[in-house]
Each structure stands twice: as C-alpha cells, then as structure tokens.
Amino acid sequence: MQSFGFIELLAIAQTVVYLLVAVLALWRQKAQPHQALYALVSVLWLAAQLALIQGWLPFLLDDFTARLPLYGLLLLAVTLLWFARAYLSVQEGSWGWRLIGLAWIATLLLVDSNLVAVPEEMWFRGGLMLPRDNFIVGGIVLGWCFFTGAATLMTLLVYRRTRQPLQRNRIRYLAAVLFLVFTGEAVFLFAYWSLGSLLHLSGVLVGAYATLNARLPSFRRAVLRSLSYLITSGLALLFYLAALMLSYATLRATGEANLWLVGLVLAAALAVFFTPLLGQAQKWLDRLIAGVSHDPALILRQYSQTISNILDLGLLAKVVTELIGQALDIPRSYLFAVSHEKDSEGHNSYRLSEVMDEGGDEPKDIILAEASTLCDYLHHQRGPLTQSEIDSSPRFAEITPDERGWLLDLQMELFVPIHSKDEWIGLLALGPKNSGEPFWDDDQSLLASLADQTAVALENARLVESLVRLNNDFRRAIAALDQANRNLERLDRTKTEFISVASHELRTPLTLINGYSQVLMEEPSLAGNANYAKMISGIHSGAQRLQEVLESMLDMAKIDTRELQLNLQTVHMGELIESLRAEFDTALQERNQKFETVDLASLRSIQADREALRKVFYHLLVNAIKYTPDGGKIAVSGRAVLPSKDTLIESGVEIIVSDTGIGIDPSLHDVIFTKFYQTSDLALHSSGKTKFKGAGSGLGLAIAKGIVDAHFGRIWVESEGYDETRCPGSQFHVFLPLRHPEKTRPKAAI
Ligand code: ADP
C-alpha cells in the first residue's frame, strides 16, 4: 500500500461530498433515488480509482484493476441516462435502457475475467489484429459514448419539444450537468484524473441543486452571476498578490526594520481602496455581463405614487396592468376583484370578477369554493402561484374542471393574490413575458410587493364603487318616491275637485228639498195628520243633515284649494263658545251631559274670522258630545299664552275642549287631523250626529285644522288612550294668536 498523497485526499473529500448528496437526496420529503444512485455510483468510481492507486485489490489481475475506473465510467454513463430520464420525467415504460447497459457491462466483464474462454487475439485477418485488452477498452469507451450520446440527444429533443419557460430553464440545468460530467469524464479518460473528477463532482453538485430545488433561478443569470463571481474573485486574488509582491519588494529595499510600517501602510491602503474598488468592479461586471436589470425600489415607488389617488375601479385596473406590463414587459394581464359570497347551502366561496374600464374580451367570472385547493393556496398561502406549478404540482391535481377550463381560457402564467389585512380582495393574473422568459423569484417578489401596494388602492376604489352604486340606488328610490308623490298629489287634487263639483251640484236640489219640506211642514192639512207630519219632519231633518255634510265638503274643498278667505274681525272666544252652547242645549240634555266653561270670560279678544272659528269649535264640540257616553262631562277652558323667545311662541289664547269620553290612541293623535280619517268602523256608526259614536263624515277635525292653520294657530290633541270602559277622555287644544300675522307679516302662507 502506498502512502496518502494529494490525489487520495482529494478523492476522500469528494467521496464525502457525494455521500452527503446521496443522503440529502434520500432524506428529502420527495426522495430522489436517481440522484442518490448517481452520487453512490460516483463514489464507487472514486473507490475504483483509489483501489488502483493504493493496490487494495492484490488478488485481482493488474490489468483488470487498471480497468476498474473505466468500468466505473461506463456504469456512470448508464446511471446518468437513467438520471436524465427521471429528471425529464420521460416515461420509463420498460427497463430496456438499463438492461442494455447492464448487459453491456456484464459481457465486457465476462470477457475480461476469462470466465469464458476468449483468445488473447480476438480477431486476426490480413495483418490486422484485435487484442482482447483493446476489445475490452474499446467496448467500454464505445458504451460510454453510446449512453452519454443517448442522454445528450434525449435532453436536446425534450428541450426542443418544451414550450414552458420554467421547464426549459430546468432542462438548461440538466444540460449543464451533462456538459460538466462528460467533460470531466473525457478529461479523466485522457488521464487528468484530478481535474476530471473535480469537473465531474461539480456536475453532480449542479444536478443535486437542480433536483432538490423546486424553484430554480434563471440558468442564464446563474451562469452570468457565477462568471461575474469568478472574475471578481480573480481580481481580488490579483490585488492581494500585487500587494504581497509590493510589500516584499519594499521590504527588500528598505530592510526588515520597517516591517511594521510597511505592513501598516499596505493594510491601510487595502482597507481604504480595496472594498470600494472591488464594489465598483463588481458593478461594471454586472452591467457588462447581466445587462441592465430593473430597479425594484424605483418601480415600487413610481407604482404606488401613480395608483394611490385612483378611485375608479376600472381606471385602477387599467393603470395597474399597464404599469406592471411596462415594468416587466408583459403584454397581457388582468386585475380581478375578489368578493366573498355564500352559496345556497351556506358554504363560503369567492367570486373573481375581472375589472375593466370598457367592455372587450374580458374573461368570465369564476366562483371558487373556499375548500378548493386553488382558493386555499391563493387565500391562505398569499404568495404568487405559477401556472406551471398548477400544471405540475400534485397538490393541484384535483382542481375542478370548471377551474381548469377558466385557467385554460385565461392563458396566464402567474397569479398574485392581493390581500388587505386578512381579507382576500383581488388577484393579479399576468400573462407570459414578451421575452419568453419565466417569472423568476425576484420578479415574483417584486410583484408580491406591487400587489401589497395595490391593496389599499383597490380597497378604496371598491368602497367608492359601492358608495356610487348605493348613491344610484338612492337616486332611483327618490325618483320613484317623487313619482309616487306626484301621483298621490294628482289623486288628491282629483278628489278635491270631485268633492267640490259634487257638493256644488248637490246643493241646488238639496235647497229645493229643504224648501219644499219646510212648506209641507207648515201646510195645516198635512200637519194635522201625525203620520205625514212625522214623515215630512224626517225628510226635513235628513235634508238638513245632508246640507251640513255638504257644507263640510265645501269647506274642505276650499281649504284644499287654498280658497279659504278669512274675514278678520275682533272675536271674543267666551262669547263665541256661549253662542255655540245654545246650539247644543238640546243634544246635551238628550245625552244627559254636563257642559261648563272655565276662564273664558277673562280672555282677550283676538283678530280672527268669527264664522270660521265657529266651525272649528262646532266640530270639536260635536265630537266631544259624540265620543262621550251619556252622563259625561264636557268642559271648555281658556288661558292666555304669553310670548316666549325660546319657543318662538307669540302671544295668544289657548282654548281646550275636554271631555270624559272614550279617548284616542296616542298613535293616532296626528292622523285624525287628516281628511276622511275615522278611527271607528263605519258600519258601527249610529245615525244621529250627536248620538254616542254617531255618524260623521271624517272631515270635522281636518276642517278645524285647516282653519286654525289659516289663522297661523296650532291644534293638537292630548289623550291617555282609547278605552270605552274606563273613558280616559280627550283634550283638544287650540292656540290662536292675538293678531293675525297677515297684518304684520306681508308674506303670509295663505
Ligand atoms: P268624524 O266625523 O268621524 O267625527 P272627525 O274628523 O271629526 O270625523 O274625527 C276623526 C276621528 O277622530 C273620529 O272618527 C274619532 O274616532 C276621533 N275623535 C275625534 N274627536 C274625538 C273625541 N273627542 N274623543 C274620541 N275620539 C275622537
């Protein structure tokens, strides 16, 4: 056994690296056996080299031992073909390749080992001879060329067939592996062992990097970066070398005494110049080799400045897709707004609808169920997702046909979700780049940052859009209400016109009936007959009641059409109520009701239309008598109202008509003042106007309010509620100003 030299140490170091690669390849969640096997065969190959150098296998023939590394090479070539097929996902189908390879090696071994009797000179004809040894070495080299060529050819074919940029990038890595490994092995064949095995090792390392990394950076860029790294390292080496030589020369010139000084000067020079110089060199190199690439910080700043003020969703989508398109050279992209929905069964889902300024060939909406893998990834993982990942990752194998169809229609290459806090609000879908290059990691992280910047603008634009939609809904509702109002007004006018025409038309025949019934009542021949007298008095009182109703209808029509003319004069409320009381004497007696007036005499006179106010209190008193059971009490009281600046009340009088009647539900306190409103069922009305709960037209309070309003007064009711057994009573308040404001305010409402 020989002692350990440089080659042996190198071989051991390489073995350690190969073993590490094998362990890593097997240890990974998705184990890569082909990668591990290739590394292990490489170890065998190294072992064969060591065995040859160290003479570990003395029992074997020298010739055979010398050929062991060559056998190793052949085995490597066969294994590499297998590795390449697995890497390219070429369907294995059969064990054909491997069997051919193993049979090839086995045949050569058989011939080599003399197990089958083969003559030393295998072929001899016309002066040409093929020795057995040459046959074996030739067989090995031929096999190596064959399998190596097969792997190269297959890689080339698959590369030409592949359109996917990311996939093509992956294959470029394999091409690099093949190149390094084959060059290494070829160099090895020409007996440059160390260089060959190192090249081989670097090929295996590139292969391991490519198989163990799901996301590979651009191969072109990786090569350029390594090149730039190599050059800068070379530069640094030169720099140090120059410094060393300089110091050596200086020391020789100045003598050892200045050792510290020279060291100090050189160290200072290195510290001051070296780093910036190297940095500058690195920059030049980057620019020279890799070309000018985009500046993410600048793009981000410009992007957020441009979109921050856009509040229109369509415009935002247009600007966002344009800016991203310019920055990354992408001709086609979409912005989707994502809205949370619940389907009919209550399951959460997300609707993705494309936001575009104007119509065109915009993609369809899609609804993603929350449970779907696609939704789960975009919503919860939040990171960018490539179409090739969807196509190749087993995780997305089960996406629904709908989702697959939608993705197929879109023809996009990258999807970047947009989140605002915990909510998923949008999706950027980006088509292939003009250059045909895939989206690299740095592109993806730039796009993820751009998506973050878009979130606020998108949320604002969506809020504004929903506000605008709400506003439009409101406008539509207001327009509809307006229309309904106009219709109601028209209806009301028609009603008033009808009341006015009908009461005018009925007035003449009614006057005739009234007049003739009066004549008939006074006719002595008929008055003697009790039967006739009763009938005639019935006709007369009916006609009079009708007359009153007609009068009320006419009053109402006048109020509605604002034709009510006030004949203003001095009115004393005490006198007015006294005169009305005389009118109700009979009714009060019939109903056994008490009537009293309180503090009316002391009230100041007011300026008002006496006849009109008479009507107001007539209706109030009729109601008080009508809605108070027999034996009840009706009171009319008055009080002076003093002006107040706080409540803007003018001085006037307030008359309160109270009864001990059935009362009024508080919810109806306003509505009873509208015309034709009656709380009780019409069919239950008893006939006479002062009978308990007797008939009424439903106009009394509306007329009273119309007249009080015309006087710039106020009328309202107070009552605990409606209760026919307890009879809580009601109090009708009428406030009238002392002076009619028309005299003091020229622009009065009436
Ligand atoms: P009506 O001709 O039916 O009396 P009004 O306009 O005078 O019409 O009154 C409207 C409604 O207000 C009445 O139908 C009645 O239900 C209620 N009402 C008016 N005055 C009183 C009162 N003093 N006590 C109880 N209810 C009253």
Side-chain angles (χ1 to χ4, degrees):
M1 189 179 282
Q2 293 180 11
S3 64
F4 261 53
F6 171 71
I7 290 183
E8 287 81 357
L9 282 176
L10 194 69
I12 289 171
Q14 288 182 46
T15 307
V16 172
V17 179
Y18 282 129
L19 287 176
L20 272 176
V21 169
V23 170
L24 213 66
L26 288 175
W27 201 4
R28 284 284 292 247
Q29 211 175 18
K30 259 183 71 195
Q32 311 278 351
H34 50 283
Q35 175 68 56
L37 184 74
Y38 193 72
L40 291 176
V41 174
S42 303
V43 173
L44 276 183
W45 176 55
L46 280 177
Q49 292 174 46
L50 275 186
L52 173 63
I53 299 166
Q54 292 285 324
W56 281 343
L57 308 164
F59 46 88
L60 286 180
L61 287 172
D62 280 356
D63 281 359
F64 184 69
T65 319
R67 280 194 289 269
L68 267 183
L70 292 182
Y71 279 115
L73 270 192
L74 184 54
L75 190 62
L76 274 175
V78 176
T79 324
L80 189 69
L81 180 62
W82 182 40
F83 171 82
R85 289 172 73 94
Y87 186 93
L88 296 171
S89 314
V90 175
Q91 287 305 314
E92 196 57 41
S94 69
W95 276 66
W97 286 108
R98 271 169 273 177
L99 286 181
I100 293 175
L102 293 176
W104 196 308
I105 297 171
T107 316
L108 290 173
L109 278 173
L110 269 179
V111 174
D112 207 352
S113 62
N114 265 338
L115 280 176
V116 276
V118 181
E120 274 302 313
E121 289 154 12
M122 289 184 62
W123 191 71
F124 192 86
R125 190 167 293 171
L128 287 171
M129 180 190 57
L130 177 66
R132 199 179 59 134
D133 283 4
N134 286 11
F135 169 80
I136 293 163
V137 173
I140 291 175
V141 173
L142 197 72
W144 180 83
C145 289
F146 177 75
F147 289 104
T148 305
T152 316
L153 196 71
M154 184 184 64
T155 310
L156 257 173
L157 287 178
V158 176
Y159 184 76
R160 284 187 57 182
R161 229 181 26 220
T162 310
R163 288 279 143 260
Q164 262 285 332
L166 277 177
Q167 202 56 28
R168 285 171 80 96
N169 185 55
R170 229 171 88 79
I171 300 176
R172 281 187 207 125
Y173 277 87
L174 178 64
V177 174
L178 295 183
F179 175 77
L180 287 169
V181 164
F182 296 158
T183 328
E185 289 171 359
V187 168
F188 176 84
L189 277 177
F190 288 102
Y192 294 107
W193 288 10
S194 344
L195 180 65
S197 60
L198 274 177
L199 277 173
H200 189 275
L201 176 72
S202 56
V204 173
L205 284 177
V206 173
Y209 176 71
T211 34
L212 299 179
N213 261 312
R215 285 188 175 181
L216 290 174
S218 158
F219 177 73
R220 210 179 117 254
R221 270 197 244 176
V223 170
L224 292 176
R225 288 236 172 97
S226 349
L227 215 64
S228 127
Y229 178 76
L230 278 178
I231 296 176
T232 28
S233 311
L235 278 179
L237 199 78
L238 281 178
F239 210 89
Y240 280 121
L241 219 62
L244 254 171
M245 288 173 72
L246 198 71
S247 59
Y248 182 67
T250 325
L251 277 177
R252 275 188 58 181
T254 56
E256 298 267 324
N258 289 327
L259 181 70
W260 283 104
L261 190 68
V262 171
L264 202 73
V265 169
L266 270 173
L270 275 179
V272 173
F273 298 115
F274 181 63
T275 321
L277 265 177
L278 204 67
Q280 196 56 42
Q282 176 92 52
K283 254 192 210 162
W284 284 333
L285 268 174
D286 278 354
R287 206 167 304 160
L288 207 70
I289 294 175
V292 187
S293 59
H294 52 238
D295 175 0
L298 187 73
I299 294 177
L300 258 175
R301 203 172 52 241
Q302 284 173 349
Y303 182 83
S304 58
Q305 274 170 3
T306 317
I307 65 163
S308 60
N309 291 328
I310 300 178
L311 289 174
D312 179 84
L313 204 53
L315 185 64
L316 179 73
K318 198 163 171 250
V319 173
V320 161
T321 46
E322 265 176 26
L323 286 179
I324 293 182
Q326 277 165 16
L328 292 170
D329 198 18
I330 308 164
R332 218 164 53 87
S333 53
Y334 295 116
L335 174 67
F336 286 89
V338 177
S339 41
H340 184 209
E341 289 182 355
K342 268 193 196 297
D343 66 8
S344 49
E345 283 154 31
H347 297 136
N348 284 329
S349 58
Y350 289 87
R351 175 187 285 276
L352 275 62
S353 30
E354 199 265 336
V355 190
M356 233 5 218
D357 209 8
E358 60 252 5
D361 57 342
E362 63 223 51
K364 289 178 290 179
D365 286 9
I366 183 154
I367 298 176
L368 299 179
E370 197 183 29
S372 87
T373 32
L374 202 56
C375 181
D376 181 62
Y377 189 97
L378 294 169
H379 186 11
H380 298 296
Q381 302 272 323
R382 294 180 162 215
L385 174 66
T386 57
Q387 179 66 45
S388 59
E389 212 169 327
I390 300 175
D391 292 339
S392 60
S393 165
R395 177 180 183 160
F396 296 104
E398 282 171 20
I399 62 173
T400 64
D402 267 4
E403 293 167 353
R404 206 171 281 284
W406 181 73
L407 290 169
L408 205 73
D409 285 351
L410 275 183
Q411 291 288 327
M412 293 285 124
E413 211 169 290
L414 183 74
F415 300 93
V416 190
I418 301 171
H419 286 87
S420 166
K421 290 172 210 117
D422 277 340
E423 218 188 323
W424 179 28
I425 59 165
L427 180 74
L428 276 172
L430 304 151
K433 289 185 189 173
N434 267 333
S435 60
E437 287 267 298
F439 287 90
W440 304 114
D441 275 359
D442 49 353
D443 294 333
Q444 294 192 19
S445 60
L446 171 66
L447 283 164
S449 310
L450 292 178
D452 286 345
Q453 297 289 324
T454 318
V456 180
L458 182 62
E459 203 172 35
N460 286 346
R462 285 180 59 166
L463 271 177
V464 168
E465 199 202 44
S466 60
L467 269 182
V468 168
R469 206 178 312 128
L470 209 69
N471 200 15
N472 287 342
D473 287 352
F474 266 131
R475 272 172 204 225
R476 267 195 292 277
I478 288 172
L481 268 180
D482 220 39
Q483 184 60 39
N485 226 3
R486 274 202 297 279
N487 288 345
L488 278 176
E489 269 173 19
R490 203 172 330 119
L491 211 70
D492 205 51
R493 253 197 325 275
T494 320
K495 214 159 69 180
T496 311
E497 279 163 17
F498 171 75
I499 293 170
S500 162
V501 171
S503 37
H504 272 114
E505 288 304 314
L506 288 174
R507 222 179 185 181
T508 327
L510 201 61
T511 319
L512 283 176
I513 297 172
N514 246 336
Y516 287 129
S517 59
Q518 186 79 39
V519 174
L520 286 176
M521 275 194 343
E522 285 161 15
E523 174 59 45
S525 58
L526 290 174
N529 186 324
N531 239 355
Y532 284 143
K534 196 178 167 198
M535 276 195 267
I536 293 166
S537 121
I539 291 173
H540 186 67
S541 66
Q544 265 191 336
R545 174 89 190 95
L546 212 55
Q547 181 90 32
E548 275 171 26
V549 172
L550 268 187
E551 289 302 326
S552 292
M553 283 163 74
L554 274 171
D555 286 344
M556 198 64 246
K558 268 191 213 151
I559 289 167
D560 277 347
T561 51
R562 312 217 162 178
E563 283 170 10
L564 185 70
Q565 295 288 331
L566 294 185
N567 179 18
L568 296 179
Q569 49 199 289
T570 309
V571 181
H572 189 272
M573 291 311 295
E575 284 169 15
L576 186 98
I577 301 294
E578 271 314 315
S579 72
L580 269 172
R581 176 207 185 121
E583 213 172 299
F584 288 111
D585 259 352
T586 338
L588 287 166
Q589 267 170 23
E590 268 175 23
R591 302 286 314 281
N592 190 24
Q593 288 172 333
K594 270 197 218 116
F595 183 92
E596 63 177 32
T597 52
V598 186
D599 296 339
L600 289 181
S602 57
L603 287 180
R604 283 176 68 188
S605 298
I606 60 168
Q607 202 182 32
D609 183 326
R610 191 185 165 78
E611 256 326 290
L613 284 191
R614 207 183 138 77
K615 281 180 185 163
V616 172
F617 290 97
Y618 172 83
H619 288 299
L620 291 182
L621 286 174
V622 166
N623 281 347
I625 297 170
K626 202 159 61 171
Y627 296 109
T628 303
D630 292 359
K633 186 177 141 193
I634 289 139
V636 182
S637 58
R639 71 179 186 96
V641 177
L642 297 174
S644 147
K645 269 191 191 146
D646 297 342
T647 49
L648 292 176
I649 288 176
E650 299 171 55
S651 50
V653 294
E654 186 179 326
I655 313 292
I656 303 148
V657 180
S658 344
D659 59 48
T660 56
I662 56 177
I664 304 166
D665 192 291
S667 65
L668 304 175
H669 284 187
D670 284 330
V671 83
I672 51 170
F673 291 99
T674 53
K675 63 185 175 217
F676 298 116
Y677 184 83
Q678 292 179 311
T679 49
S680 49
D681 189 347
L682 272 179
L684 298 175
H685 277 189
S686 63
S687 47
K689 75 175 180 196
T690 50
K691 292 270 159 53
F692 183 48
K693 297 198 284 177
S697 57
L699 288 174
L701 289 181
I703 293 171
K705 181 171 163 48
I707 294 172
V708 173
D709 284 350
H711 281 87
F712 292 91
R714 224 158 68 74
I715 179 166
W716 71 97
V717 66
E718 286 172 6
S719 171
E720 258 179 51
Y722 172 83
D723 190 338
E724 283 196 26
T725 45
R726 212 164 47 82
C727 284
S730 327
Q731 297 86 45
F732 281 84
H733 297 246
V734 178
F735 164 76
L736 293 162
L738 284 185
R739 308 212 150 270
H740 190 275
E742 225 173 34
K743 298 276 177 193
T744 42
R745 278 186 293 189
K747 283 185 183 169
I750 280 190

